[in-house]
Structures are given as C-alpha cells and as structure tokens.
Amino acid sequence: MQKEIDMLDVQKIREDFPILKREVNGKPLVYFDNAATSQTPQVVIDAIVDYYSNYNANIHRGVHTLSQEATDAYEIARKKVQQHFNAKHAHEIILTSGTTHSINIIATGFTNFLDKGDEIIVSALEHHSNIVPWQMLCDRTGAILKVIPMNEEGELLMDIYDQLLSNKTKLVFTNHISNALGTINPIEEIIDKAHEVGAAVLIDGAQSCPHIKPDVQALDVDFYVASAHKLCGPTGVGMLYGKEEWLNKLPPYQGGGEMIEQVTFEKTTYAGLPHKFEAGTPNICGGIAFGVALDYMNSIGFDTIAAYEKELLDYGTQKLLEIEGLKIYGTAKNKTSVISFNLENIHPYDVGTIVDKLGIAVRTGHHCAQPIMDFYKIPGTVRASFSFYNTKEEIDALVEAVKKAKIMLR
Ligand SMILES: *Cc1c(COP(=O)(O)O)cnc(C)c1O
C-alpha cells in the first residue's frame, strides 16, 4: 500500500522564513546554498530570542529558577534529538558544536583502540571533516587508511568495498549523502558488511538529515553525527549518537567542568553519559533551538520534504541540461537535491560571481571535498542545492542567470 504523502504548500512555508523576503543586489534573494547551511524559520529565531530574553542561565549546576528552567529546556532538547534519531536512550545523544566536533570526539577516542597495521575504511565521497581526523588518528596509531573508490556517476564501488574489508578492519566511516554531489550512499549495506568483520561504523549524516529522518536503531549504526545548522537550526550546535557500550568504553575528549564526578589533584573520576563528553558550558541556546528546528521540520514531515525536493531536483536537472556546454557532476541513480555543474572552459568562481550579482546564492569551489574534484580533474564546481522552501520559479531564475554568465564569460 502506498503511503499518503501530504503536498507541500511552498508559498505558505516561505512565510516562515523572514530572510527569504530580502533582496540582494536589487533582486529577490534566491538561496541555493542549502548544502552549506540552511535558513532559519521564525519559530527557531523566536526560541533564541525567548531564551536570551527570559531564562538565560548556566545549566546543571544552579539551584536557582533560571538555571533550572534552562536545564529543563536543554534536556528536553536532548530528548527531542533522541526521538528524532530514534536512539534507545537520551544519554546516547551527546550535544556537540557540530558534525566536525562529533567526528573528532570519536577519532580521538579510538586512539587507544587501534594498533599498528589496523585498517580504517573511508569513502571517496567524504567531506574533509570526515577525512582529516582519521588521517590524524592513523598518524597517532600507525593504522592504515583505505578508500572505497567511486565511479564517474559519483557512486561508491561496492564490490571494491567487499575486497577492502577484512579482519584487520576496525572502523568504517562514510557520509550518508555526499555534500558535493548529492549521492545517497547505501549505508545499510555498508554497516552490515562492516559488522560482519567486527568493525565499528560511523555515519556522517550532516547532509542527509535535512532530507531523510534516520533511525539509528534500525540501522544498527555505532555512531551517527549531524549539525543543526543544515536542519533549520543555528550554527555551532550538533549531535553525536553513540551506542551506549561504545560511549562507555571511549575516553572523554576534553577535560573540564560538567564532565566530572569528583576532582582532586590526585585523581578525577568522570561523570556518566552524556556529560562525560560535554566538558564546559555548552551552546545552551543553540541546543534548545536545535530541538525547535527538529519540531518544525517534523511538522512538515520528511516524506513531504523528500517528495517536493525530488521534484525540484528533476526540474532543475532538466532545465540546466538544456544549456549547451553545461555538465553536471554526480549523476547517481540515488541522489538528493544537489546539482554540481560547470560550464565548458569557464571557471566556477566566475559563474558564481555573476549569478550573485543577480541575487542568486550558489556555492563554488571544492565544497570541502577536494578528492572528488581531483577525481574529475576539475578545480571545483558551481553547486546549487535546493531546500523545501525553494521554488521552480527560482530555478528558472538560476537557469537564466547561468545563460547570462555563459554569454558574458565566453
Ligand atoms: C557540512 C558537512 C560537514 C561539516 O559540518 P560542520 O557543521 O561544519 O561541522 C561534514 N560532513 C558533511 C557531509 C557535510 O555536509
């Protein structure tokens, strides 16, 4: 039976985002840089204003009313994150400063769990934040980094993955969706096969969470990480899910306040989960706003969002390909609403500059994924990434702007 999916009323949704009313260079803003950060709905802005206007206080330590209110709100946010990702326990959710922070907690934590010659597998489609911490881990431990290669379409070569796996494999890391190309990776298969050889798996969900609601228990994944700012939340806050047994085993990442049970100059004992990984005063307001952003997105519904974004992707792909000399990078069968492209013989930066003059925000460059650009032997791409608040009319504006850029730059 086919599930009923609500139609998305995009004009009504756009009303929720005050920034979409502004102009850039005298033109209505067209915001197509959603893969770098999403825009913020009024309910999230209101939550931030409410926090600083009414109950700004440090959490967990105070007996006074404001501190208790802030603590309650922060812990409610943690519960919302738990429910959204379907973690078994709230204490398996660590609130961090974002995906990068979350990955570093795990990469550093594994230092004492790896021996020289152990192997770590990453995918060719990774963001630098899911490459560099593992290289640093390999430098510390003598472990070896192996890479699952990709094909011309931007899909991982899963038969090579099978060959890379062995009893030496201790960890496997991949993103769920590539931020540079939009490829949706077969993470269920990646996780299951890694577990067959006894390796732990970390999934970088920074780019998938705006489009797909993950279920960490169904995936049986060991670690899952994401950032709030790509999910309509504020910057500087994110999450790390870890299975309880792993989080208990791993050492704390930073020492400081909040993460201790008892401190003397002879010996310190650590707090239990999740506080063991939350040293210092966190981004309290950001955490609370993260919870509100999840509520907002769930109120629209991820099936509705995915169906609408698929329409935008198909429309944008078709319209852009009508421009002669335009090439799209990343043509995986399974992909989200990211279109990375170049005009023949024209530098992506030049295209980006001209379309910005016309009020359109796209990203140009290597998108923190230089190995992918090296694979295609290009300096970078122009990347238009669509969100559920974008429209087909905005895509038309982009197509016109790219045509103009082509004429001007020829
Ligand atoms: C954005 C992104 C990151 C980094 O997220 P931060 O919020 O900058 O820490 C990591 N991986 C992917 C796939 C991303 O899209």
Side-chain angles (χ1 to χ4, degrees), residues 53-70:
S53 308
N54 294 311
Y55 61 104
N56 177 26
N58 211 333
I59 52 171
H60 294 147
R61 283 168 296 210
V63 291
H64 64 82
T65 303
L66 260 52
S67 173
Q68 287 181 5
E69 285 177 8

Side-chain angles (χ1 to χ4, degrees), residues 186-204:
I187 58 166
E188 291 83 356
E189 185 184 340
I190 290 172
I191 294 166
D192 290 348
K193 286 186 168 159
H195 284 167
E196 277 168 28
V197 299
V201 183
L202 180 144
I203 299 292
D204 169 356

Side-chain angles (χ1 to χ4, degrees), residues 35-36 97-101 103 126-127 129-130 175 177-179 204-207 226-230 237 383:
S97 73
T99 301
T100 304
H101 180 197
I103 293 172
E126 294 315 304
H127 188 282
S129 73
N130 206 15
N175 56 38
I177 293 181
S178 154
N179 64 303
D204 169 356
Q207 206 56 235
S227 298
H229 70 94
K230 293 182 182 174
V237 65
R383 181 185 71 186

Side-chain angles (χ1 to χ4, degrees), residues 76-90 92-96 98-99 102 176 187 203-232 237-243 287 290-295 297-298 302:
I76 287 171
R78 190 192 307 278
K79 280 229 165 276
K80 287 179 182 177
V81 177
Q82 177 207 351
Q83 279 160 10
H84 181 78
F85 290 89
N86 195 31
K88 196 161 167 195
H89 306 292
E92 292 175 315
I93 301 294
I94 314 298
L95 293 169
T96 65
T99 301
S102 302
H176 189 171
I187 58 166
I203 299 292
D204 169 356
Q207 206 56 235
S208 52
C209 286
H211 314 287
I212 296 170
K213 186 169 176 158
D215 180 333
V216 294
Q217 288 188 77
L219 288 169
D220 192 29
V221 68
D222 302 282
F223 306 102
Y224 196 100
V225 299
S227 298
H229 70 94
K230 293 182 182 174
L231 266 162
C232 295
V237 65
M239 55 79 68
L240 159 65
Y241 160 79
K243 281 185 185 165
F290 184 12
V292 174
L294 289 175
D295 285 345
M297 298 210 43
N298 279 306
F302 279 81

